[in-house]
Amino acid sequence: NVVQVTVADGNNIIEYARATSKASGKVIYKNNVLGVRPSPTVAAFSSRGPSTFSPGVLKPDILAPGLNIIAAWPPLTILGSGPFNIRSGTSMSTPHVSGIAALVKSSHPDWSAAAIKSAILTTADITDSAGGPILDEQHQRATAYAMGAGHANPIKAIDPGLVYDLSITEYAGYICALLGDQGLATIARDLTLSCKMLPKIPEAQLNYPSITVPLRTRPFTVNRTVTNVGPINSVYTLKMEVPKSLTVRVYPETLVFSKVGQKTTFSITVSRHRNVGSKALQGSLSWVSKKHVVRSPIVASPLL
C-alpha cells in the first residue's frame, strides 16, 4: 500500500522520524474526502518560470487541474488497463486548457488564438476556494513564476470584456528579435521567410496579457493595446496592486470605448526604488468596468 501526502506534511513526517528513534505511525481510512482546502494549490511537479530562453514573456501562463485526474483511458496500453485511470502532470492540465480554448472559440468563432489566450489569462482566478491567495506545495503564497496569471476559469473566459490581441506579423516580429532569420524559418517551417521586412518586437513590448519588465531604478516603459469585446459603451478604470518597492505609472488611467472592436493603447512605466535586492518583484494591473475585471500580472525581473 502507498500513502500519498503533501510536501509540507512529508517534511513534518521526516522531521519527526529524525527526532526520535522510536517513530511510529498509523493510517486510518476515512472514506473519500470532498471540499479539501486549500484548493487549488500549485503541485510540486508543476513547471516553474522564468523562461531561460525568453525571460521577458512570463511563464507559466496559467494553472489548470492536473493532479490525480480521473479520466477515460485506452484499455490496451502499457501504462494500465480498464476504461479509466488516474494520472497527474501537464498531460492532465493541458486537456483542461484545450477544452476551455474550444469553449471560448465556440462562443467567438472569429477570435484569434491570441485573443482566446488573453481571455483565459485575464479572467483567471487568483484566490483559492477559501478566498485566500493560491498557495504552492509548501503552502506558501504562489508567485507569478509558479501560477502565471492564476487558475483558469472557463465561465469568465467566455466574456473577458477586453483582450490583448496579436497578429501573425507581430508574433513573427517577436521571433525575429529573439532568434533572427533562421529561427523564424525554423518555427514557421518556411526557409524562404526573412526578417528584413518585419518589425523587430522586443519581448517586453509584445502585446501579451502579462507584463514583464527589467528590475531597475531607471524607468522602463512598455505599451499595450486592448480591444473591446464587451458592451458597446464601456468605461474601464485602473486598479493596481504593486509592492512599495516598485513605482508603476499607467497612462491613461481610464479607457473609454464606444463600439465593439475598438482598440485603445496605454503605457506602463515601471521603476524600482533604491536599496532593493535582486529578487523579482511582482504585482498586478486591472482594468475594471461595471461588469468586467481584466487583470494582468506585472513582474519586474532582474534577468532582463
Side-chain angles (χ1 to χ4, degrees):
N1 293 330
V2 175
V3 177
Q4 183 177 8
V5 298
T6 66
V7 173
D9 288 340
N11 289 336
N12 291 334
I13 293 171
I14 291 172
E15 289 182 9
Y16 165 67
R18 288 174 175 171
T20 177
S21 60
K22 297 182 179 180
S24 63
K26 181 185 293 185
V27 178
I28 301 174
Y29 176 64
K30 290 187 176 181
N31 209 335
N32 295 328
V33 180
L34 303 177
V36 176
R37 297 184 178 185
S39 177
T41 58
V42 184
F45 57 75
S46 184
S47 297
R48 264 50 170 189
S51 166
T52 56
F53 199 72
S54 183
V57 176
L58 178 62
K59 295 296 172 183
D61 282 312
I62 195 75
L63 287 179
L67 179 64
N68 295 337
I69 303 299
I70 183 170
W73 186 262
L76 300 177
T77 65
I78 61 174
L79 295 177
S81 61
F84 294 94
N85 203 345
I86 297 176
R87 305 288 291 177
S88 296
T90 306
S91 297
M92 296 295 99
S93 57
T94 299
H96 284 85
V97 178
S98 299
I100 296 171
L103 178 67
V104 177
K105 184 69 172 178
S106 67
S107 298
H108 307 283
D110 58 331
W111 281 15
S112 68
I116 293 172
K117 184 174 189 176
S118 172
I120 295 172
L121 267 59
T122 60
T123 59
D125 294 329
I126 58 171
T127 56
D128 62 20
S129 57
I134 293 176
L135 305 179
D136 63 16
E137 77 280 3
Q138 298 282 0
H139 285 189
Q140 301 297 312
R141 185 167 185 161
T143 69
Y145 286 139
M147 70 174 192
H151 195 271
N153 185 319
I155 302 302
K156 290 182 180 179
I158 295 175
D159 182 21
L162 304 174
V163 293
Y164 294 78
D165 207 355
L166 276 168
S167 66
I168 294 176
T169 300
E170 288 173 296
Y171 266 125
Y174 159 67
I175 294 170
C176 285
L178 191 67
L179 300 173
D181 283 330
Q182 186 60 45
L184 178 64
T186 300
I187 292 174
R189 299 180 182 179
D190 187 345
L191 297 178
T192 65
L193 291 178
S194 172
C195 293
K196 293 180 180 178
M197 302 301 292
L198 292 170
K200 298 208 172 32
I201 301 177
E203 51 190 352
Q205 300 292 350
L206 189 67
N207 197 45
Y208 212 70
S210 56
I211 300 162
T212 306
V213 297
L215 178 66
R216 65 188 194 188
T217 56
R218 187 173 61 187
F220 185 87
T221 300
V222 298
N223 296 314
R224 291 292 190 271
T225 299
V226 289
T227 304
N228 181 31
V229 294
I232 294 176
N233 295 303
S234 301
V235 178
Y236 289 82
T237 56
L238 175 68
K239 177 184 177 182
M240 288 196 300
E241 295 181 3
V242 294
K244 294 180 180 179
S245 49
L246 277 184
T247 297
V248 181
R249 293 186 174 89
V250 178
Y251 181 82
E253 295 186 359
T254 302
L255 305 180
V256 179
F257 299 92
S258 58
K259 59 182 179 180
V260 175
Q262 182 179 346
K263 298 178 181 292
T264 297
T265 299
F266 62 93
S267 64
I268 311 104
T269 302
V270 182
S271 61
R272 70 168 175 84
H273 299 175
R274 296 186 182 276
N275 302 320
V276 173
S278 59
K279 187 177 180 181
L281 300 175
Q282 67 180 62
S284 67
L285 174 158
S286 298
W287 293 108
V288 182
S289 71
K290 291 181 179 179
K291 186 178 179 182
H292 299 95
V293 176
V294 186
R295 181 184 179 275
S296 294
I298 299 174
V299 176
S301 169
L303 300 178
L304 301 182

